[in-house]
Amino acid sequence: MTAAHKKAAEAGQEEGLNTLPARLSEPPEGYSGWLADLKDRIHTAQQRASLAVNRELVLLYWQIGQDILARQAAQGWGAKVIERLSQDLGAAFPEMKGFSSRNLKYMRAFAEAWPSEEFVQQAAAQLPWFHLCTLIDKLKTPEAREWYLRKAVEHNWSRNILVMQIESRLLERSGAAVTNFALSLPKPQSDLARESLKDPYRFDFLGLTEEAQEREIEGALVKHVTSFLLELGAGFAFVGRQVLLDVGGEEFFLDLLFYHLKLRCYVVIELKAGKFKPDQLGQLSFYLTAVDAQVKHPTDGPTIGLLLCKSKNQVVAEYALRDKSQPLGVAEYQLVESLPPELLSSLPSIEQIERELAGTGLPERERMD
């Protein structure tokens, strides 16, 4: 490099350094709050835009499906017209990927499943398209499709979670526990409480054998608390395991304590590794009395008790609950169930759950003052 070239290069480097942005000074008072507000508004606008795009797409697909249905019915067109339509729409809109023959058949099935445009606009259009395809594929009755659709909207389920809930027969299990809520709780709280419990509960994610003991199951549930909360359902918040209650100088430990955000009450869960026995409700009833006296806030609702057992006689459980004044329920749990391979992939891995729990420092025993 000649001396002239070297001098020019050094000059360029100096010029480049001079063009670097000046060091930002400390933001003025109130700036951080304003910036956080702007970020929230931008995120909200992005979400609204995404929802609007999805809504328009779903309505378009429904209208195309309606057209296909109407023309096939009126003019006797066969299934081959869908192949022809796919080719023509694909040629006209090459940048769009939604006009395959398969997707056009879904559009037809979508319009057939939900013939009411009003329902599509108000409910169905709140879900992404492939959620709706899942409902069409996996459910056969309008009632079941609408129930899962509304639950998916209410709880913002991902497609994998929606599949898992359908495969685990959530609809059939919801509200199926034996309870005395109709007699022990006022409406509408009794209905909401009943719908909040299932029977049976599926603990497929624990990897335990049928011979697992109560403490082993309890410890595994806490370790896999993410999946456990998903199985319990919306509204449950984990409070603690082996929660200590001091009653008259004696110590008692609750297996699992939760708080239900919708019911605004504590929920005590006791695990029994064997078959349900009526006298087990006496211990659970005592725990409810203690929680109501020592833990719950005056504005909270009555504490609810759920006895989870390996098996139960339905009639025996109903008789045992009939004369109890406190809100109690009895349900079974299942430890080992065979899940489809595609469903297993949607469950959180042990590593994921352990990462989520890392640093929480949940104590083995937690004293309630």
Side-chain angles (χ1 to χ4, degrees):
M1 179 182 290
T2 65
H5 287 157
K6 185 175 181 180
K7 187 173 182 180
E10 290 173 349
Q13 290 174 356
E14 289 178 2
E15 183 179 352
L17 291 173
N18 290 334
T19 61
L20 291 174
R23 188 182 187 89
L24 293 175
S25 59
E26 290 296 319
E29 184 178 354
Y31 177 85
S32 298
W34 177 54
L35 177 61
D37 179 61
L38 284 179
K39 289 179 179 178
D40 287 341
R41 284 153 60 186
I42 291 170
H43 285 314
T44 300
Q46 289 174 328
Q47 291 171 351
R48 287 176 178 170
S50 177
L51 289 172
V53 170
N54 178 76
R55 180 178 180 276
E56 292 301 319
L57 181 67
V58 168
L59 287 175
L60 172 64
Y61 285 176
W62 182 84
Q63 291 163 357
I64 291 174
Q66 280 284 357
D67 279 358
I68 294 172
L69 280 175
R71 292 177 183 277
Q72 285 183 326
Q75 302 181 31
W77 291 350
K80 288 187 177 180
V81 72
I82 292 179
E83 302 286 342
R84 175 64 181 267
L85 184 62
S86 173
Q87 293 178 10
D88 291 340
L89 289 177
F93 303 97
E95 73 283 0
M96 294 185 69
K97 305 299 183 184
F99 297 129
S100 66
S101 298
R102 178 181 175 82
N103 212 38
L104 287 171
K105 291 175 183 176
Y106 272 120
M107 295 177 204
R108 182 186 184 281
F110 177 43
E112 194 171 32
W114 288 288
S116 168
E117 184 173 5
E118 182 180 1
F119 178 82
V120 172
Q121 289 178 331
Q122 294 180 358
Q126 296 182 59
L127 285 182
W129 173 241
F130 287 110
H131 279 59
L132 298 170
C133 294
T134 298
L135 294 173
I136 293 168
D137 271 343
K138 294 190 170 293
L139 300 165
K140 302 306 177 187
T141 67
E143 295 78 13
R145 286 171 176 166
E146 184 172 340
W147 191 88
Y148 281 101
L149 185 151
R150 294 190 183 279
K151 290 293 181 182
V153 171
E154 179 184 356
H155 303 305
N156 195 29
W157 287 341
S158 68
R159 185 165 173 262
N160 280 342
I161 295 300
L162 173 61
V163 171
M164 187 184 73
Q165 301 289 23
I166 294 172
E167 295 285 355
S168 69
R169 302 175 67 84
L170 177 64
L171 173 57
E172 291 84 351
R173 295 187 296 128
S174 294
V178 182
T179 73
N180 65 350
F181 295 161
L183 301 174
S184 58
L185 293 172
K187 282 185 173 291
Q189 188 182 22
S190 59
D191 293 334
L192 179 57
R194 181 177 56 82
E195 287 301 318
S196 298
L197 301 187
K198 305 172 185 175
D199 189 24
Y201 286 86
R202 295 167 57 113
F203 300 153
D204 315 87
F205 49 87
L206 298 185
L208 299 176
T209 66
E210 289 285 348
E211 290 72 33
Q213 297 302 304
E214 292 162 16
R215 288 294 172 265
E216 188 180 0
I217 297 170
E218 179 188 307
L221 288 174
V222 174
K223 183 178 179 181
H224 297 260
V225 69
T226 301
S227 294
F228 185 27
L229 287 172
L230 178 61
E231 173 61 12
L232 286 177
F236 282 89
F238 179 65
V239 176
R241 170 197 179 195
Q242 286 296 299
V243 177
L244 171 63
L245 293 173
D246 187 322
V247 180
E250 294 188 38
E251 294 183 344
F252 299 89
F253 296 92
L254 311 180
D255 284 352
L256 297 163
L257 182 64
F258 293 83
Y259 190 84
H260 200 285
L261 301 175
K262 291 185 178 180
L263 293 169
R264 310 301 297 178
C265 70
Y266 285 96
V267 180
V268 177
I269 296 181
E270 286 292 299
L271 289 166
K272 300 298 177 185
K275 187 176 182 179
F276 168 72
K277 297 178 181 179
D279 58 4
Q280 294 166 344
L281 290 177
Q283 179 188 36
L284 182 54
S285 178
F286 170 76
Y287 290 159
L288 299 193
T289 300
V291 172
D292 281 341
Q294 299 184 17
V295 182
K296 92 176 188 72
H297 189 272
T299 59
D300 288 336
T303 303
I304 291 173
L306 173 61
L307 189 74
L308 284 179
C309 52
K310 190 72 165 297
S311 63
K312 70 179 186 304
N313 181 302
Q314 185 86 3
V315 177
V316 171
E318 291 174 357
Y319 277 29
L321 290 169
R322 189 171 294 178
D323 64 347
K324 298 293 187 294
S325 60
Q326 294 168 304
L328 295 161
V330 179
E332 297 178 1
Y333 64 83
Q334 297 174 348
L335 284 179
V336 180
E337 285 287 321
S338 57
L339 292 177
E342 65 273 13
L343 181 56
L344 286 172
S345 64
S346 70
L347 295 174
S349 67
I350 293 174
E351 291 76 14
Q352 288 173 320
I353 296 167
E354 287 176 344
R355 282 198 300 270
E356 291 175 19
L357 290 176
T360 59
L362 290 174
E364 281 287 301
R365 295 185 172 181
E366 188 170 315
R367 187 182 185 91
M368 305 299 295
D369 295 324

